[in-house]
Amino acid sequence: MAAAPTQAPPQTTARLVEKHRPVLDRALEAIRSREYWSPYPEHPKAYGEEHGSLSAAEGKAAFDALLGTRFDLDQPGTDGWVAGEVSPYGPKLGTEYPHADAGVLLPAMRAAMPAWRDAGPEVRAAVCLEVLARINARSHEFAHAVMHTSGQAYLMAMQAGGPHAQDRGLEAVAYAFAEQSRTPEAAEWNKPQGKRDPLRLRKEFTPVPRGVSLLIGCNTFPTWNGYPGLFASLATGNPVLVKPHPRAVLPLAMTVRVAREVLAEAGFDPNLVALAAERDGEGIAKELALRPEVRIIDYTGSTSFGDWLEANARQAQVFTEKAGVNTIVVDSTDDYRGMLGNLAFSLSLYSGQMCTTPQNLLIPRDGIDTDAGHKSYDEVVSDLATAVDKLLGDDQRAVALLGAIVNPGVRERLEGAAELGEVALASRAVEHPEFPEATVRTPVIVKLDGGAPESESVCMSECFGPVSFAVAVESTEAAVELLRRTIRHRGAMTVGAYTTSPDAERLVEEACLEECAQLSLNLTGGVYVNQTAAFSDFHGSGGNPAANAALCDGAFVASRFRVVEVRRPA
Amino acid sequence: MAAAPTQAPPQTTARLVEKHRPVLDRALEAIRSREYWSPYPEHPKAYGEEHGSLSAAEGKAAFDALLGTRFDLDQPGTDGWVAGEVSPYGPKLGTEYPHADAGVLLPAMRAAMPAWRDAGPEVRAAVCLEVLARINARSHEFAHAVMHTSGQAYLMAMQAGGPHAQDRGLEAVAYAFAEQSRTPEAAEWNKPQGKRDPLRLRKEFTPVPRGVSLLIGCNTFPTWNGYPGLFASLATGNPVLVKPHPRAVLPLAMTVRVAREVLAEAGFDPNLVALAAERDGEGIAKELALRPEVRIIDYTGSTSFGDWLEANARQAQVFTEKAGVNTIVVDSTDDYRGMLGNLAFSLSLYSGQMCTTPQNLLIPRDGIDTDAGHKSYDEVVSDLATAVDKLLGDDQRAVALLGAIVNPGVRERLEGAAELGEVALASRAVEHPEFPEATVRTPVIVKLDGGAPESESVCMSECFGPVSFAVAVESTEAAVELLRRTIRHRGAMTVGAYTTSPDAERLVEEACLEECAQLSLNLTGGVYVNQTAAFSDFHGSGGNPAANAALCDGAFVASRFRVVEVRRPA
């Protein structure tokens, strides 16, 4: 039996609904139209006292104040404290987080469910939007936390870790609300019976949560990859236990703290959102994932653990984003310079440490037609290398684009890449002007012969980090065949293609439709294959081995709750 | 690579859309409002030449013409013929069905996918509605096929196996259409860039199928339980392989034939729907379920095989309806006579062979308050026994309600029930006036002491068939506790309760919300706990061990397809 539900003060929740309903409605419209929209400005200067938020300087100060302190969340079952984050830029964070006794914490989280369920979809959405609004106001503070756990450069951490992550959270709330509101709260049902009186029933429909939702965070995008699952589950009535990556605890601990504050203020049990930090090497995700209370899991990370979760956490709905191998098919272009610049940026952004970064560039052995004349395979590769070099020629600019190498594993892969084939562009170390201990490296491009059997095994494995392969293929048809095999066996978060030929375009498009991968065609301007925008782009497809879910669609929210019907004679 | 898509004649598909779009729109409205609605009349006399459909006599003749014949479907990979159905009413059907070589049939089904995908959600919905309309016109023929495979009485086979099953199919088509149409086919995305030109992309969104969908049919409701999955998958672009229960092939073989006809006429590959009949004891479901082409499975049947599918068919989305233990909590009533009549009907309908039939009647040991005065536990049980006796007193009427015992397993369970406790109402054999070989039995009611440990194991197991237990419990609170345990550990498709006390009502309601089960309160008239109406009632909740899916909701359709996005500069 659950404890007696805490009653939310109706005034507070009504105020929250009044405050946030317009944004929710606008988000609902955006996911229907897929037009550009965001309520959270991405420009760093849009934040500051005059906007009711923390300025860059205030955000930095707030972040600094968290370092080396105990991050208390007042959670039940806290049985110790864990610390250990080291910034990819060098400094130790020194922040201590509560370690939880799951046997105490999980029942407390379950006990919080009935009142949260009774609050209904609209109040839950409003509470989630208040959490997001408060996080948004602290975007600069979060930016530092994301930067110093993921290694992202500040501007990227500010945008992708801030407003863009908040967008993805809001998008999930909108989907969750839409899904729960498809069925009315109540209905009258009158079935005619010929000459007899009709049968009359009154029916009530209540969305009910599945149980505790476990969020297993990742190192590179703790907020961006974490918010969709967190908010989708919370908005559908489930308590959320956040298990961050041991190297990227702070951004999610801050998120948990804001959520607990807002929940408590709105009259709900703060234990609806809790943190499960772990000691280094403790591996609590495996243990938590099998707890009977855990009925939903959101995971971003390695394929091996994702596969393990899907196979073993059978009591839960498991949403995974795993590894993939992203391909660019280069057939032809009418903007050679634009293509090279766009690709150079895609390979460099955050040192290729995005699940969406292209890895395999498939280029016909006989070269390609471009607006600058026919270019041989070697010319395309060396022109791309030059474009990357130029983009990253200035150290200050390079650092702002590359960020830092997130962990030693990535550095080792990068260093080993030169042995995989002929190096077309060597990686170089860049000195960080502010953080001399940061590992900053430019990308490596390695040439592979697409016909050689040894190439197949190289380009069919994910080589996460700033490593890409310029694969010489017989033809565009051969490129599309390799693309199909790659998606089918290894999965892909993104596919890109450059072509001026309607036939080649159709071939690539058909491959992506059949193998289920998201395709960007002929990007030559300021949109990059590795970026997706909430409310408009789907991140992943959920239909190939890279991920079993897409951000965000109906399938991402629909099975996080069930509808219980109570019917009685009218 | 897929074969070149067959092109559908646009005129044909446009005509189908024009013909069926109003029904689709009305269905979309019904699933939103949850009001009573059906386009398929349930009255047997609503069918006949003047309505463009088969009359009762014509349906009988059409059914008779199928007996003892070869039911050819012109499927690729047919490597033999199987037969073996014996009506629960006695006669052998003698119809022979094609046996399929899955290695030939499945690739042919996959090859049919691209053209079906390209047709888009609206055309797919229209084709599905044409299939349903043709099945509807033959409801009397289907009624005989359902009657002589499931053992349902004719009127029930005509309604539940006919229009009600068609309703559930249409409901799934409506959900599938709604889900696929949430995202527009295309969108323009313009992101402002301050003083610079906005970023502009054109995005196209295509729902793409997962792969072959396998329908594993059941013996008791081949069409009603089969149509939701079949039509949900077909409408979302997936080919459907229908593996009927070996005792109930004909209704689904007829369905497959109609679907293949309509698909071919509309210019699509008929292999989008195919039959996989099996030799007795061949167990092909297990083999088919693990085929890599199979990406969706819909299953109704035993818990053990359902659990096996969920655990092993990891390449597929698995939707299961398994066994459960349905409870009625009897606390009090202001219509004692109505309650008894309603319960008597529920226990008798189709000899209790419905997944929704109540099994455990929890009655306080000290009796209950009613409009006819206080009734002791013994009085309630014996009054209920009398009500069942009266309802089934006339053999003709009994047969029309009970139908036949579907298989020897049910008969054996019924015969063994007397040993489980004190028999309050003994089962009796009823002679069928038309089919002397039919096994017709009235229900047995067995008394159990809810406090005795040996009772717990009896009432916590599903005893499928016309067996129910009148369990004496300490109090309504104790009843609700047992109800909770039962749902949590055994699952429940339905829960019923009778009470005039707001407190007791709240207790039962809270238990159903927390344990996730569908609740019917105080049914005393012509609506029964075992019946649910498409477009309004949810069948199962998907949130307890009896089923991982509900008919029908967003979750039932959302993961049957994925959305592939293609974006390019505008």
Side-chain angles (χ1 to χ4, degrees):
Chain A
M1 295 284 283
T6 319
Q7 205 57 46
Q11 277 192 312
T12 315
T13 55
R15 257 205 317 272
L16 287 179
V17 168
E18 196 188 328
K19 176 178 173 189
H20 294 294
R21 181 77 212 208
V23 173
L24 178 63
D25 285 334
R26 189 62 193 80
L28 289 166
E29 194 189 317
I31 60 174
R32 275 194 298 267
S33 73
R34 314 303 290 182
E35 290 164 354
Y36 171 77
W37 178 71
S38 168
Y40 308 122
E42 65 181 6
H43 200 292
K45 291 195 179 146
Y47 297 87
E49 204 182 340
E50 67 275 32
H51 307 288
S53 53
L54 296 190
S55 66
E58 288 164 338
K60 173 75 166 64
F63 167 74
D64 286 342
L66 294 171
L67 302 177
T69 63
R70 180 163 281 190
F71 200 100
D72 198 354
L73 288 163
D74 197 22
Q75 291 182 178
T78 297
D79 61 6
W81 298 86
V82 297
E85 289 161 295
V86 179
S87 168
Y89 291 93
K92 282 190 183 157
L93 270 56
T95 312
E96 283 191 344
Y97 307 98
H99 184 275
D101 176 346
V104 177
L105 183 55
L106 286 170
M109 296 180 77
R110 275 194 58 86
M113 287 168 66
W116 187 234
R117 176 199 73 210
D118 290 345
E122 192 183 39
V123 166
R124 284 196 293 269
V127 169
C128 288
L129 264 59
E130 177 66 17
V131 174
L132 284 165
R134 292 200 196 175
I135 289 172
N136 176 253
R138 291 164 59 182
S139 289
H140 278 294
E141 183 186 353
F142 273 84
H144 286 279
V146 169
M147 175 181 176
H148 286 291
T149 49
S150 70
Q152 290 176 26
Y154 185 75
L155 184 64
M156 182 174 178
M158 158 72 208
Q159 295 187 333
H164 299 174
Q166 295 148 20
D167 280 340
R168 283 286 178 201
L170 171 54
E171 180 188 51
V173 173
Y175 268 98
F177 179 79
E179 195 64 34
Q180 294 172 93
S181 330
R182 269 171 111 132
T183 305
E185 286 175 37
E188 301 289 332
W189 183 85
N190 299 321
K191 181 175 178 180
Q193 295 292 291
K195 288 169 199 155
R196 285 171 295 149
D197 284 343
L199 300 174
R200 292 180 195 276
L201 291 177
R202 178 173 165 79
K203 304 177 179 186
E204 287 166 4
F205 303 96
T206 307
V208 302
R210 294 186 67 90
V212 175
S213 185
L214 175 65
L215 170 65
I216 304 177
C218 70
N219 195 355
T220 49
F221 288 92
T223 55
W224 198 98
N225 274 92
Y227 284 4
L230 192 164
F231 286 100
S233 279
L234 192 60
T236 49
N238 305 280
V240 182
L241 181 58
V242 177
K243 204 299 288 173
H245 191 285
R247 292 171 179 273
V249 184
L250 186 55
L252 289 176
M254 288 162 60
T255 304
V256 168
R257 179 178 273 174
V258 173
R260 292 175 65 87
E261 277 167 13
V262 171
L263 285 162
E265 283 174 32
F268 297 101
D269 189 333
N271 294 323
L272 286 164
V273 179
L275 187 76
E278 62 184 325
R279 280 182 273 273
D280 200 25
E282 192 181 356
I284 57 169
K286 223 164 178 162
E287 180 198 324
L288 291 173
L290 300 182
R291 292 279 310 204
E293 298 94 337
V294 170
R295 302 296 313 280
I296 302 170
I297 299 176
D298 286 280
Y299 167 79
T300 309
S302 73
T303 294
S304 58
F305 192 55
D307 288 347
W308 182 90
L309 286 169
E310 291 173 19
N312 293 282
R314 307 282 325 294
Q315 85 292 355
Q317 295 278 316
V318 180
F319 299 90
T320 57
E321 185 187 318
K322 302 174 285 189
V325 174
N326 303 319
T327 298
I328 304 279
V329 174
V330 182
D331 169 77
S332 52
T333 178
D334 58 9
D335 182 3
Y336 188 57
R337 206 187 142 113
M339 175 184 91
L340 295 173
N342 189 282
L343 282 177
F345 189 95
S346 283
L347 299 183
S348 304
L349 185 63
Y350 186 28
S351 314
Q353 296 170 125
M354 300 174 74
C355 56
T356 50
T357 304
Q359 174 179 306
N360 296 341
L361 314 172
L362 311 187
I363 305 162
R365 202 181 294 286
D366 296 336
I368 64 169
D369 287 331
T370 82
D371 58 318
H374 188 84
K375 299 288 177 182
S376 70
Y377 164 80
D378 282 333
E379 281 174 309
V380 174
V381 179
S382 83
D383 289 347
L384 178 61
T386 305
V388 173
D389 252 349
K390 263 174 76 177
L391 181 69
L392 305 175
D394 173 67
D395 275 7
Q396 189 79 30
R397 193 171 151 196
V399 161
L401 198 56
L402 293 168
I405 298 298
V406 65
N407 63 44
V410 175
R411 201 193 54 223
E412 285 157 25
R413 258 194 308 278
L414 170 63
E415 287 165 358
E419 287 156 35
L420 299 171
E422 184 192 336
V423 174
L425 174 68
S427 173
R428 70 179 177 90
V430 179
E431 183 87 4
H432 197 293
E434 193 184 347
F435 298 103
E437 288 176 73
T439 305
V440 184
R441 296 284 188 278
T442 64
V444 64
I445 301 177
V446 175
K447 286 182 172 181
L448 291 179
D449 175 357
E454 65 273 18
S455 299
E456 179 98 0
S457 67
V458 173
C459 72
M460 289 281 273
S461 308
E462 190 195 47
C463 190
F464 186 78
V467 179
S468 54
F469 302 112
V471 186
V473 292
E474 277 315 303
S475 62
T476 298
E477 289 70 24
V480 174
E481 263 314 296
L482 178 54
L483 168 67
R484 276 182 183 270
R485 282 207 308 283
T486 307
I487 304 172
R488 196 177 305 166
H489 300 300
R490 297 297 165 181
M493 294 301 290
T494 57
V495 175
Y498 291 90
T499 182
T500 57
S501 148
D503 286 348
E505 188 171 315
R506 217 166 8 247
L507 217 56
V508 176
E509 226 177 306
E510 184 63 25
C512 288
L513 289 170
E514 287 189 26
E515 304 301 334
C516 207
Q518 310 299 12
L519 173 64
S520 296
L521 278 166
N522 297 319
L523 296 183
T524 53
V527 177
Y528 304 96
V529 69
N530 16 3
Q531 294 176 326
T532 62
F535 311 109
S536 183
D537 293 318
F538 292 102
H539 174 73
S541 76
N544 70 56
N548 77 0
L551 304 179
C552 189
D553 61 10
F556 190 69
V557 297
S559 58
R560 288 177 196 260
F561 69 98
R562 309 304 310 172
V563 175
V564 168
E565 174 182 349
V566 179
R567 57 182 191 172
R568 38 168 80 78
Chain B
M1 296 285 285
T6 318
Q7 206 55 47
Q11 276 192 314
T12 316
T13 54
R15 257 205 318 273
L16 288 178
V17 168
E18 196 188 328
K19 176 177 174 190
H20 294 295
R21 182 75 212 210
V23 174
L24 178 63
D25 285 335
R26 189 62 192 82
L28 288 166
E29 193 188 319
I31 60 175
R32 275 192 300 266
S33 73
R34 315 303 291 184
E35 289 165 356
Y36 171 75
W37 178 71
S38 169
Y40 308 121
E42 66 181 7
H43 200 292
K45 292 196 180 144
Y47 296 86
E49 203 183 341
E50 66 277 31
H51 306 288
S53 52
L54 297 190
S55 67
E58 288 164 336
K60 173 76 165 65
F63 167 73
D64 285 342
L66 294 171
L67 302 177
T69 63
R70 180 163 281 190
F71 198 98
D72 198 355
L73 288 165
D74 196 22
Q75 290 183 177
T78 297
D79 61 6
W81 298 88
V82 298
E85 289 161 296
V86 180
S87 168
Y89 291 94
K92 282 189 184 159
L93 271 54
T95 312
E96 283 190 342
Y97 307 97
H99 185 274
D101 176 346
V104 176
L105 183 56
L106 286 171
M109 298 181 76
R110 275 192 60 85
M113 288 167 68
W116 188 234
R117 176 200 72 211
D118 289 344
E122 192 182 41
V123 167
R124 285 196 293 270
V127 169
C128 288
L129 264 60
E130 178 66 19
V131 174
L132 285 165
R134 293 200 196 175
I135 290 171
N136 176 252
R138 291 164 58 182
S139 289
H140 278 294
E141 183 186 352
F142 273 84
H144 286 279
V146 169
M147 174 182 177
H148 286 290
T149 50
S150 71
Q152 290 176 27
Y154 186 76
L155 185 63
M156 182 174 180
M158 157 73 207
Q159 296 186 331
H164 297 173
Q166 297 149 21
D167 280 341
R168 282 285 178 201
L170 170 55
E171 179 188 52
V173 173
Y175 268 100
F177 180 79
E179 195 64 33
Q180 295 173 92
S181 332
R182 268 171 112 132
T183 304
E185 288 175 35
E188 302 288 332
W189 183 84
N190 298 322
K191 181 175 177 181
Q193 296 290 291
K195 288 169 201 153
R196 285 172 295 149
D197 284 344
L199 299 174
R200 291 181 195 278
L201 291 177
R202 177 172 167 81
K203 304 177 177 187
E204 286 165 7
F205 303 96
T206 307
V208 302
R210 293 186 69 89
V212 175
S213 184
L214 175 67
L215 171 66
I216 304 176
C218 70
N219 194 356
T220 47
F221 289 92
T223 54
W224 199 97
N225 274 91
Y227 284 4
L230 192 164
F231 286 99
S233 279
L234 192 60
T236 48
N238 305 280
V240 182
L241 181 59
V242 177
K243 206 299 289 174
H245 192 283
R247 292 171 179 274
V249 183
L250 186 55
L252 288 178
M254 290 162 59
T255 304
V256 169
R257 179 178 273 175
V258 174
R260 291 175 67 86
E261 277 167 12
V262 171
L263 284 162
E265 283 174 32
F268 296 102
D269 188 333
N271 294 324
L272 286 165
V273 179
L275 187 76
E278 63 183 323
R279 282 182 272 274
D280 200 26
E282 191 182 357
I284 58 168
K286 224 164 177 163
E287 182 198 322
L288 291 173
L290 300 183
R291 292 279 308 202
E293 298 94 337
V294 170
R295 302 296 312 281
I296 302 169
I297 298 175
D298 287 280
Y299 167 79
T300 310
S302 72
T303 294
S304 59
F305 192 57
D307 288 347
W308 184 90
L309 286 170
E310 290 173 20
N312 293 282
R314 308 285 324 293
Q315 86 291 356
Q317 295 279 317
V318 180
F319 300 90
T320 58
E321 186 187 318
K322 301 173 287 189
V325 175
N326 303 319
T327 299
I328 304 280
V329 174
V330 183
D331 169 78
S332 51
T333 178
D334 57 9
D335 182 2
Y336 187 56
R337 206 187 144 110
M339 175 184 90
L340 295 173
N342 189 283
L343 282 177
F345 188 95
S346 282
L347 301 182
S348 304
L349 184 63
Y350 186 29
S351 312
Q353 297 170 125
M354 299 174 74
C355 56
T356 49
T357 304
Q359 173 179 307
N360 296 341
L361 315 171
L362 311 187
I363 305 161
R365 200 181 296 288
D366 295 337
I368 64 170
D369 288 331
T370 82
D371 56 319
H374 188 85
K375 300 288 177 181
S376 70
Y377 163 80
D378 283 332
E379 283 173 306
V380 175
V381 178
S382 83
D383 289 346
L384 177 61
T386 305
V388 173
D389 253 350
K390 264 175 75 175
L391 180 69
L392 305 174
D394 172 67
D395 275 6
Q396 189 79 29
R397 191 171 151 196
V399 160
L401 198 56
L402 293 167
I405 298 297
V406 64
N407 62 44
V410 175
R411 202 194 54 224
E412 284 157 26
R413 257 195 308 277
L414 170 62
E415 286 166 359
E419 287 156 37
L420 299 171
E422 182 192 337
V423 173
L425 173 66
S427 174
R428 69 177 178 92
V430 179
E431 184 88 4
H432 197 292
E434 193 182 346
F435 299 102
E437 289 175 74
T439 306
V440 184
R441 296 283 187 280
T442 64
V444 63
I445 302 177
V446 175
K447 286 182 172 183
L448 291 179
D449 176 357
E454 65 275 18
S455 300
E456 179 99 359
S457 67
V458 172
C459 71
M460 288 281 272
S461 308
E462 192 196 45
C463 190
F464 187 79
V467 179
S468 54
F469 303 111
V471 185
V473 292
E474 276 315 303
S475 61
T476 297
E477 289 70 23
V480 174
E481 263 314 297
L482 179 54
L483 168 66
R484 278 181 181 269
R485 283 207 307 282
T486 307
I487 306 172
R488 196 177 306 165
H489 300 299
R490 297 297 164 185
M493 293 302 290
T494 57
V495 175
Y498 291 90
T499 181
T500 57
S501 148
D503 286 348
E505 187 172 316
R506 217 168 8 247
L507 219 53
V508 177
E509 223 177 310
E510 184 62 24
C512 288
L513 289 170
E514 286 190 25
E515 304 301 335
C516 207
Q518 309 299 12
L519 172 64
S520 296
L521 279 165
N522 298 320
L523 296 184
T524 52
V527 177
Y528 305 96
V529 68
N530 17 1
Q531 295 176 325
T532 62
F535 313 108
S536 183
D537 292 320
F538 292 102
H539 173 74
S541 75
N544 70 56
N548 77 359
L551 302 180
C552 187
D553 62 8
F556 190 68
V557 296
S559 58
R560 290 177 196 260
F561 70 98
R562 309 304 309 171
V563 175
V564 169
E565 173 184 350
V566 179
R567 58 181 188 171
R568 41 169 75 81

